[in-house]
Amino acid sequence: MADRLVVLYRGNRPPATGLIERLADTVYATEEELPYPLPGADALLAWVTITPAIREAWPDNPEKAPRWVHAAATGVDSFLFPALVEDPGVTLTNSSVCTTIRSPSTSSD
């Protein structure tokens, strides 16, 4: 199992996590703990979506940033900070839409 998934939660962990734990090396983190497991993670599942913790914990080095971020809600406003938005390799998904976020300067147009 090579992929590392960080699950951001507050209070109780998300329900029915057995499947994801079988598919990826899963690390659970509260908002306060997030800066420690996030660098080097392959993916982030944000069970908490309205928080500055993701922006504050986001790695300075783009090579250490997760390549996939999933919001367990439809709103992604708190995810739209420059370090994430300007990284052409990060895929941001939510509960209803899958979108790859790219900076205009890295667009292939």
Side-chain angles (χ1 to χ4, degrees):
M1 194 178 327
D3 293 331
R4 183 159 52 109
L5 168 67
V6 175
V7 179
L8 174 63
Y9 74 100
R10 181 186 299 145
N12 296 323
R13 290 182 179 182
T17 55
L19 180 59
I20 63 171
E21 290 172 358
R22 288 192 299 270
L23 297 173
D25 176 19
T26 306
V27 178
Y28 296 91
T30 62
E31 292 159 282
E32 295 79 23
E33 297 165 337
L34 189 61
Y36 304 105
L38 189 62
D42 297 290
L44 170 65
L45 167 58
W47 198 249
V48 176
T49 58
I50 300 174
T51 178
I54 298 163
R55 177 182 41 80
E56 293 168 358
W58 197 258
D60 291 332
N61 180 347
E63 293 178 12
K64 298 279 186 180
R67 301 291 85 198
W68 177 33
V69 177
H70 180 75
T74 55
V76 295
D77 292 354
S78 64
F79 296 80
L80 302 179
F81 53 90
L84 190 154
V85 173
E86 294 172 2
D87 187 333
V90 175
T91 298
L92 173 62
T93 60
N94 66 10
S95 293
S96 63
V97 177
C98 178
T99 304
T100 300
I101 300 201
R102 297 190 184 276
S103 166
S105 63
T106 60
S107 174
S108 60
D109 295 300

